[in-house]
């Protein structure tokens, strides 16, 4: 301990320390702002989806005499049925089909040899997938892939339990008309685009922050230069 205490350490002037903290703090603030914006947009998107396809609120509103529904385009609302009918999964809008996830989605099983693709190609593994979120904000480069497939076969397990596709494909759902599905996609696309833009911006800001921290402390990058980099990044 006395030896460590005797080691010379260069301490930057307090004013410069505060300037460095302000620069790095601004980066952290912007990253946090992007995270909160993404969470708010995702909550809104989830609420719209639930209203349309789970609780059937637009149909209930129309059945009660409503002439419009927030978040739903007027032509789509006008084409809605005016009542719910009983089905094997409970009440669903009249005219909607009852099917399964397998009717609207398919499982892709395509093997890839990492040696045959660019090492910088983004790689997304199960470990990168967020829970209860559509905001995928973590991935690696294909150079780190050790197997010949991007995902392994779905199976059960204790370390990383996974849903078996054969079970998932049989899950019953209410299937709307194509115009309603398209309207939802059109309405949510700007929100999803904003979330993705924030994710990519935050990754760049994290890289900039990690680059600047040791450079500023060592004096390799001056505060004025860092401020210009910060302005260019925002």
């Amino acid at each position: 301990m006395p030896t460590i205490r005797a080691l010379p350490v260069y301490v930057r002037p307090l004013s410069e320390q505060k300037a460095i903290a302000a620069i790095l703090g601004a980066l952290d603030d912007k990253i946090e702002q992007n995270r909160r914006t993404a969470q708010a947009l995702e909550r809104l998107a989830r609420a719209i989806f639930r209203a349309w396809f789970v609780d059937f609120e637009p149909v209930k509103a129309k059945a009660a005499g409503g002439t419009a529904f927030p978040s739903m385009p007027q032509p789509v609302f006008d084409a809605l049925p005016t009542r719910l009918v009983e089905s094997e999964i409970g009440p669903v809008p009249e005219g909607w089909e009852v099917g399964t996830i397998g009717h609207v989605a398919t499982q892709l099983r395509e093997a890839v040899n990492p040696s045959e693709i660019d090492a910088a190609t983004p790689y997304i593994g199960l470990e990168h997938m967020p829970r209860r979120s559509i905001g995928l904000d973590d991935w690696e480069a294909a150079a780190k892939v050790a197997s010949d497939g991007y995902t392994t076969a779905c199976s059960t397990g204790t370390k990383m339990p996974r849903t078996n596709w054969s079970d998932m494909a049989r899950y019953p759902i209410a299937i709307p008309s194509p115009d309603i599905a398209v309207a939802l996609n059109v309405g949510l696309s700007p929100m999803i685009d904003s979330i993705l833009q924030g994710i990519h911006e935050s990754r760049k800001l994290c890289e900039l922050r990690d680059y600047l921290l040791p450079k500023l402390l060592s004096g390799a990058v001056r505060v004025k230069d860092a401020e210009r980099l910060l302005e260019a990044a925002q």
Side-chain angles (χ1 to χ4, degrees), residues 67-80:
T67 58
F69 189 82
S71 78
M72 178 171 280
Q74 193 61 43
V76 176
F77 181 84
D78 293 339
L80 287 176

Side-chain angles (χ1 to χ4, degrees), residues 15-32:
S15 60
E16 195 168 339
Q17 292 181 41
K18 291 181 178 179
I20 292 173
I23 292 172
L24 299 179
L27 290 170
D28 287 336
D29 289 345
K30 180 56 178 175
I31 293 170
E32 177 62 17

Side-chain angles (χ1 to χ4, degrees), residues 163-183:
T163 300
N164 186 289
W165 170 248
S166 62
D167 295 331
M168 190 173 179
R170 293 194 297 268
Y171 191 86
I173 58 173
I175 302 177
S177 59
D179 59 328
I180 298 178
V182 170

Side-chain angles (χ1 to χ4, degrees), residues 17-35 201-202 204-206 208-209 212 216 226-234:
Q17 292 181 41
K18 291 181 178 179
I20 292 173
I23 292 172
L24 299 179
L27 290 170
D28 287 336
D29 289 345
K30 180 56 178 175
I31 293 170
E32 177 62 17
Q33 178 184 337
N34 286 344
R35 185 187 68 82
E201 181 183 53
S202 291
K204 291 181 179 179
L205 293 176
C206 284
L208 178 59
R209 179 196 60 197
L212 286 177
L216 286 168
E227 290 174 344
R228 285 193 288 269
L229 288 174
L230 180 59
E231 291 175 0
Q234 293 180 335

Side-chain angles (χ1 to χ4, degrees), residues 10 12-13 16 20 212-223 225:
Y10 176 71
R12 309 201 71 80
E16 195 168 339
I20 292 173
L212 286 177
L213 177 57
K215 299 290 185 180
L216 286 168
L217 293 178
S218 67
V221 173
R222 310 303 298 177
V223 170
D225 296 329

